[in-house]
Structures are given as C-alpha cells and as structure tokens.
Amino acid sequence: MHQSSAPLPIREILQQKVVDHLKFIYPQLEVEPIANELARLMRLDEDCQSPLAHKNLWDQTDIAVITYGNSILNDNQPPLKTLHHFLQSHFPMLINTVHILPFFPYTSDDGFAVSAYKQVDPSLGDWSDILRISTDFHLMADLVINHCSAQHDWFINYQQGADPGSDFFVEMDPEEDLSKVVRPRITPLLRATTTPTGTKHVWCTFGHDQIDLNFANPKVLAKIVDIIRLYLDMGVRIFRLDAVAFIWKKLGTNCLNLAETHEIVRLLRTLIEHANPNAVIITETNIPNRENLSYFGNANEAHCIYNFSLPPLLVNTLVTGNCRYLKNWLMGMPPAQNGTTYFNFIASHDGIGLRPVEGLLDDSEQQALIQTMENFGGQISWRALDDGSNKPYEINISLIDALKGTTAGEDEWQLQRFVCAHAIMLALEGIPAFYLHSLVGTTNDYERMKEHGHNRAINRRQWQEQELNEKLADPDSHHHTVFQQLRRLIQLRREQPAFHPNATQFTLHLGDQIFAFWRQSQDRRQSIFCLNNISDQTQTVSLNAINLIGTDQWKDLVSNAIFDDMLATLTLNPYQTLWISNRW
C-alpha cells in the first residue's frame, strides 16, 4: 500500500515560496543564498509561524485614525506622548488603530524623504514612545519603500563611491527615451550627481531630495527586509507600502505596476506573515481604480488597498448633489474576498487625488470639481505628462472646507454635509480611516501653507493640545459638534455585524439624490439599509421601495425612529443619513 509522505516543515515550505518569488524577480541570479539571507534577517530560521489563508484579521470594531506624530503639541512633553494621551483621552473603545505618518528623521516632504529608517525623529520622541502606543493600538507605520532622502547615508556613500550605497540607486543615461514614465510631479526625473567615476544621473520619481532605490539589486531588498524586522520588533502590526507602484524600472515601459513590483509585494507579504501571522500589508497606490485593485492579487499581495477613488467621487457627489458617478463606481467594485478588504478614507495628509477618477469622471466633471474646490480655498498640485504638459494631480484642501457648499457656492449645510460624508465612509465595505484633522473639524491652514511653501501643508495643521481640548469642549464650537457627531457614528458602527469589512454589500437605486446601499452580516442575521440624502433639498422615499421584510421590525440606528408601516414614506432632510436595521 502506498504511504503518503509526511508534510514538509513550515520552514521548508517558506524557503521554497521565497525562492520562487526571487526566481521571478531575479531570473539571472542564483537566488538560494538570497532567500537564506532574507530568512536570517527576518529571524525566520528561529521562529517561523504558519499564516492562515483567507483569514480576516479585522471586524466591524476596527477604526483607524491617520495622523502625524506632531499634529498635537504640548510644550511639556514629546509629541508622540501628547498624541498617545490625546487618543487615550478622547477615543477609549472607539479607535483601535493608529497610523502615525513617517516618524523617522527626514529632510523634506513632511517625513517621506527618510534620512534614517531605523531611528525615531528625536523631535517626536523615541522608540519607547512608539512601543507604548503599540500596546494600546494596532500600530500602522510607513515603509517608504521607493526612495530615500538625498541626505541618507546610502546616498552620501553613493556620492563617495562607498558601501553600503554605491550600487543602491538607479543610474540612467539622460539621452534615453523616458517619455513613457508616469510621473506624479513636474520636476525633472533625473538628477545629475557627482561621483568618483564622474557625473551620474539618478532616478527621482518624486523630486531631487527623494532618490529612488534600485530594487534590481537584491542588496537593496535585503536592507528593506532588515528594516521591516526592526519595525515588527517595535510593535508595528500594519505596514503601509508607500508609493510601492513605482519601485521597479524598465526602459520602454511606464515604470508603474510592473510584474516585478507585484512579485516584490508578494515576497514581502510572505516574509512578514510568516514572522507575524496577524501583521497586515496595505499598498498605497494613488493610481487609476482598475490598477489599484490589482494589488489584491489572488489574496496573496496586499491585505488591504487604499480606496483612492472614494474621496474625489464622494466630494464630487456632495457638491453636485448627484450620486450617479459614485453609484456607478460602487456597482463596479468587486467584493473583497476573505483575507482582503478595502481601506476607506475620505481625507488624508495629502490631497484629494485626481488620478483615481480617471475613467470614472470625465474632464468636464473634473474641471467643475477643481473650480469648486478653488472657490473654497483649495490649491491644485500638478504632474507632468509625456508630451511635456502638466495635468492636475490632486486638490489640496481640508475636507470640511471642501464641503462648505456646492457647485453653486457656499451655503448653510457645511456641517451636515461633512458628517454625511463620514457616515457614508463608515457604512461602506472595508475598514474606515479618519484623518485626525477631520475628526476635530480642522479648516484650511493658509499660514502653514505659506510658511512651508507647498500646497499640501494646507491640511497639516499643528494644534496645541490645550487649545484643541478647549474647542472640543465648547458647545458653540463647530469642532465640538463635528467631534461629538462623529464619535457617536463610530460607536454605532462598531456595534453592527452588518458593518463587518467583508459583510455583503449591494448598491440600491433610489434616484440620483439618495445614495443608498444594503449591508448584510456574514451570518445573515442583520441587514442595514444605508440611505444618504446627498443633496441640499429634502428627499422622500417609500419604505416599500427598499423592500424591507415585513416580518422584521426595523429601526433607524441614527435617529432611533422605528418603522412599523412598510408602506410609509420617509422624508430625508438635506444630508441626512439613515441606517435602517432589523437588529439593534
């Protein structure tokens, strides 16, 4: 009788997976030694765990906040301690995940030109502060993977012909045809740099202080893996792969989303999840929607992808009073399979990206949106096209100012419109993430923008903790109103199984002024009909139109209204949200 062989040990299975990844990335190299080195750096030869496929590492209680380490200041303590205290004080049992934007030493781009990956910026605190935060929250940190600062030791060594670094960067002949390369900036792609062997031209996707790393060199990959291991040791559970779509370069292509890029993401996931099966990878790919979706792979790349199309589509919906484009997009979004989900946000430290709505909003719609945002004090950042022209890349504005009116101008519905936007985000399939400044209703900071000399600073205010606490406690302050209403919605969301990130979602068709969708819990016991009046006019809808099951009792979780008559007509005030549930 044939005897089946014993299953391979986890370590051998992992070794083979890593080798297979590396063979695809580096087909000309002997990859076994590279695989051994990566396993050693991740200490997988000491402790190798077995991740479960298609396991959801989240539920409806997962709510994230996005913040800089120094968004809230107190003169008497390091900013990271102040941030930790603020979150503990104001969001107990509400926020369980915190994304601290790059907290490392840097030279520009508010942290994304990292000059030392293994240090905490001393102006913020130290690793002990990071560890303390990670004990109370799921900690999300940036892996700034595409580039490093021009002041990083690696690039300084490159300029001197020394190691490590002499072969860490992408050199390119300026006479090569690079017209197909997709750029998010208008600065020249190449930077002339003096080296011991003469002038070289190095690749700079995001600007000349951010030098692209050369992942075609496996020594660069090893350095990144070494950094990942440190971050795991320091309590990081969620890795945000910054600008990952750009990391592989190949002449004659657009150098975006290349096959090698996807394979590197798969490799990093394999290494990370065998070190910590509860760790999560999120890809930050501010690109058209279809390309963004590709980073799910077959549930073997990113656990989560940023839902980059949501912010511009939702803002467009609320300032036009028409949800047609948002509804069409939602119908076309595939449900995320178990083990993956969307990372939903509607405001961030950057701006409202316009690339993610390419193919979703036509040029005239985009131009109307841009003009409206400029009318509300927003600024426009640009990118270079291959014909030498420039095109709007993102709108820089605080979300509360972006929603201060409609295309017709400012009106009295700003706060209702702003809360409605967040109610929609909270109810959609995926994990919701609040930008800290949205939670507290921060408006455009023109002074900071002028001081820093770049548009994105308009939405990166630094609050003094005492001043912010006073505003949040003042019932007459819009900060108080926003804060309290959003806290209540967060609490409601956390209590609903139908708002699990992977619960069923279907788009409802109730006209262009009511954006509506249905969520059903994974055990099918709870249904929630989410109705949002996205216009500045009162709207009506018949309960019969949303097909409520008559044998159930239904209640709006937001207003606590109970619906007994299935033939009744509902009236929704401007920007009102209803979460009609059969279970509460």
Side-chain angles (χ1 to χ4, degrees):
M1 185 176 180
H2 176 72
Q3 229 177 1
S4 61
S5 58
L8 288 173
I10 296 172
R11 180 67 182 83
E12 291 184 28
I13 296 172
L14 170 64
Q15 175 75 7
Q16 188 57 56
K17 288 182 71 173
V18 172
V19 165
D20 290 344
H21 291 310
L22 292 170
K23 282 181 178 178
F24 185 93
I25 301 166
Y26 306 114
Q28 307 303 319
L29 299 181
E30 177 63 40
V31 298
E32 281 79 3
I34 303 172
N36 290 335
E37 175 65 3
L38 297 183
R40 184 190 68 81
L41 290 169
M42 287 289 282
R43 298 201 299 276
L44 294 173
D45 47 351
E46 303 171 16
D47 180 19
C48 180
Q49 302 183 59
S50 182
L52 294 176
H54 303 288
K55 179 184 178 182
N56 293 327
L57 300 172
W58 42 77
D59 62 25
Q60 64 272 15
T61 67
D62 283 283
I63 311 283
V65 62
I66 304 166
T67 179
Y68 279 101
N70 58 1
S71 290
I72 303 175
L73 303 174
N74 184 323
D75 294 339
N76 299 318
Q77 60 185 186
L80 286 172
K81 283 189 173 63
T82 304
L83 174 64
H84 190 190
H85 177 261
F86 181 85
L87 293 175
Q88 284 181 311
S89 300
H90 292 290
F91 297 103
M93 305 302 293
L94 288 177
I95 300 290
N96 69 348
T97 301
V98 57
H99 172 203
I100 306 177
L101 291 154
F103 47 79
F104 320 105
Y106 69 97
T107 53
S108 63
D109 199 16
D110 276 3
F112 287 92
V114 178
S115 56
Y117 285 97
K118 291 190 169 185
Q119 300 174 27
V120 174
D121 185 341
S123 70
L124 298 178
D126 56 32
W127 281 117
S128 68
D129 297 308
I130 294 295
L131 278 168
R132 273 190 290 270
I133 292 172
S134 73
T135 62
D136 292 326
F137 300 92
H138 300 321
L139 177 61
M140 179 172 166
D142 290 275
L143 188 65
V144 185
I145 195 171
N146 179 70
H147 51 263
C148 68
S149 164
Q151 296 302 311
H152 194 286
D153 286 347
W154 297 339
F155 192 64
I156 293 172
N157 287 347
Y158 170 81
Q159 293 171 304
Q160 298 172 351
D163 287 321
S166 65
D167 53 357
F168 277 18
F169 301 94
V170 181
E171 296 178 351
M172 189 58 56
D173 182 346
E175 298 303 314
E176 289 281 0
D177 180 8
L178 301 173
S179 61
K180 291 184 179 179
V181 175
V182 170
R183 297 292 315 289
R185 300 287 187 273
I186 59 175
T187 53
L189 177 62
L190 302 181
R191 165 182 162 158
T193 303
T194 302
T195 74
T197 57
T199 299
K200 305 292 184 182
H201 293 81
V202 293
W203 194 293
C204 304
T205 297
F206 290 90
H208 287 186
D209 189 44
Q210 294 166 290
I211 319 298
D212 284 41
L213 294 164
N214 182 15
F215 277 87
N217 179 355
K219 289 189 289 186
V220 170
L221 176 63
K223 287 292 187 183
I224 295 300
V225 169
D226 185 44
I227 291 164
I228 289 171
R229 180 67 257 185
L230 172 66
Y231 292 0
L232 283 168
D233 292 341
M234 293 297 108
V236 174
R237 179 185 160 188
I238 305 168
F239 291 83
R240 176 185 183 270
L241 304 189
D242 178 66
V244 68
F246 297 91
I247 64 174
W248 196 269
K249 280 73 175 172
K250 186 181 294 183
L251 285 177
T253 74
N254 63 4
C255 299
L256 188 69
N257 309 313
L258 298 184
E260 292 84 354
T261 295
H262 284 281
E263 197 67 34
I264 289 172
V265 175
R266 288 192 281 269
L267 168 62
L268 294 181
R269 168 156 176 176
T270 295
L271 293 169
I272 289 171
E273 69 183 3
H274 279 81
N276 180 357
N278 292 315
V280 170
I281 286 178
I282 300 182
T283 47
E284 188 270 331
T285 46
N286 191 358
I287 51 181
N289 192 54
R290 183 182 297 272
E291 299 167 34
N292 189 31
L293 288 168
S294 70
Y295 282 87
F296 276 143
N298 184 25
N300 61 350
E301 289 191 43
H303 296 86
C304 305
I305 60 171
Y306 273 79
N307 225 340
F308 273 107
S309 297
L310 178 59
L313 285 175
L314 184 53
V315 170
N316 181 73
T317 293
L318 290 164
V319 299
T320 62
N322 190 311
C323 66
R324 180 171 72 256
Y325 294 102
L326 182 64
K327 189 164 53 177
N328 288 342
W329 165 78
L330 192 66
M331 287 189 294
M333 291 293 282
Q337 59 180 300
N338 283 332
T340 66
T341 195
Y342 297 104
F343 193 72
N344 293 328
F345 74 108
I346 53 176
S348 76
H349 61 290
D350 289 338
I352 301 169
L354 294 172
R355 288 218 70 204
V357 291
E358 291 178 8
L360 301 175
L361 289 181
D362 61 32
D363 288 344
S364 64
E365 286 283 339
Q366 289 191 47
Q367 189 52 49
L369 176 62
I370 289 169
Q371 184 59 60
T372 302
M373 295 301 98
E374 287 184 316
N375 292 342
F376 296 160
Q379 306 293 311
I380 308 301
S381 294
W382 303 78
R383 67 183 181 96
L385 300 181
D386 55 10
D387 62 2
S389 64
N390 297 331
K391 185 175 182 179
Y393 175 69
E394 69 182 13
I395 303 164
N396 305 110
I397 190 170
S398 73
L399 184 61
I400 196 165
D401 280 319
L403 298 176
K404 65 168 57 175
T406 68
T407 52
E410 296 184 26
D411 60 24
E412 73 272 26
W413 299 107
Q414 180 181 18
L415 294 187
Q416 292 89 337
R417 192 179 291 116
F418 182 73
V419 172
C420 177
H422 287 92
I424 290 171
M425 178 185 74
L426 280 165
L428 284 171
E429 175 188 358
I431 299 170
F434 289 82
Y435 188 37
L436 179 66
H437 287 300
S438 292
L439 279 170
V440 299
T442 305
T443 56
N444 290 339
D445 191 338
Y446 300 107
E447 187 176 323
R448 184 174 177 83
M449 182 178 66
K450 182 178 180 181
E451 176 187 347
H452 285 258
H454 62 85
N455 291 344
R456 285 178 167 179
I458 197 172
N459 196 23
R460 298 178 179 179
R461 179 169 180 169
Q462 290 179 307
W463 282 100
Q464 285 294 322
E465 184 181 25
Q466 181 178 347
E467 178 191 6
L468 180 55
N469 283 337
E470 289 173 355
K471 290 185 180 297
L472 295 179
D474 179 3
D476 296 326
S477 165
H478 83 267
H479 302 281
H480 171 88
T481 302
V482 162
F483 189 62
Q484 294 303 322
Q485 292 192 33
L486 294 184
R487 277 171 50 93
R488 180 168 181 269
L489 288 175
I490 290 170
Q491 183 61 55
L492 283 173
R493 178 224 157 76
R494 288 173 52 92
E495 297 167 352
Q496 315 310 321
F499 285 155
H500 186 288
N502 294 89
T504 298
Q505 176 174 288
F506 282 109
T507 308
L508 303 178
H509 299 277
L510 300 176
D512 289 339
Q513 281 67 55
I514 297 179
F515 178 58
F517 48 95
W518 172 68
R519 304 294 309 277
Q520 185 183 57
S521 61
Q522 292 175 308
D523 64 8
R524 300 187 178 182
R525 293 177 61 195
Q526 184 185 33
S527 287
I528 301 180
F529 291 86
C530 306
L531 278 60
N532 305 275
N533 180 357
I534 50 78
S535 76
D536 59 3
Q537 301 295 314
T538 298
Q539 302 294 326
T540 59
V541 61
S542 169
L543 280 175
N544 189 46
I546 57 176
N547 295 319
L548 299 184
I549 298 173
T551 55
D552 288 342
Q553 190 175 27
W554 297 89
K555 173 182 175 181
D556 172 27
L557 300 173
V558 180
S559 69
N560 291 317
I562 292 179
F563 306 114
D564 296 318
D565 181 2
M566 295 299 104
L567 300 178
T569 296
L570 298 179
T571 299
L572 281 78
N573 295 322
Y575 307 105
Q576 183 178 356
T577 290
L578 302 180
W579 289 345
I580 303 173
S581 174
N582 65 340
R583 181 180 172 189
W584 60 88

Tab-separated table of all heavy atoms in Angstrom, residues 187 277 336 365:
chain	number	residue	atom	x	y	z
A	187	THR	N	8.834	68.017	-11.536
A	187	THR	CA	10.285	68.186	-11.502
A	187	THR	C	10.945	67.226	-12.486
A	187	THR	O	10.379	66.188	-12.833
A	187	THR	CB	10.829	67.913	-10.090
A	187	THR	OG1	10.357	66.617	-9.661
A	187	THR	CG2	10.350	68.962	-9.106
A	277	PRO	N	1.707	36.222	11.846
A	277	PRO	CA	0.503	35.940	11.045
A	277	PRO	C	-0.601	36.977	11.199
A	277	PRO	O	-1.541	36.986	10.409
A	277	PRO	CB	0.041	34.572	11.568
A	277	PRO	CG	1.243	33.958	12.196
A	277	PRO	CD	2.014	35.105	12.770
A	336	ALA	N	-14.403	42.262	-1.822
A	336	ALA	CA	-13.086	41.747	-1.447
A	336	ALA	C	-13.246	40.348	-0.861
A	336	ALA	O	-14.082	40.129	0.010
A	336	ALA	CB	-12.434	42.682	-0.436
A	365	GLU	N	-16.427	67.146	-15.682
A	365	GLU	CA	-16.774	66.945	-14.276
A	365	GLU	C	-15.578	67.245	-13.380
A	365	GLU	O	-15.712	67.874	-12.323
A	365	GLU	CB	-17.241	65.496	-14.060
A	365	GLU	CG	-18.623	65.186	-14.583
A	365	GLU	CD	-19.727	65.721	-13.678
A	365	GLU	OE1	-19.464	65.979	-12.498
A	365	GLU	OE2	-20.860	65.885	-14.179
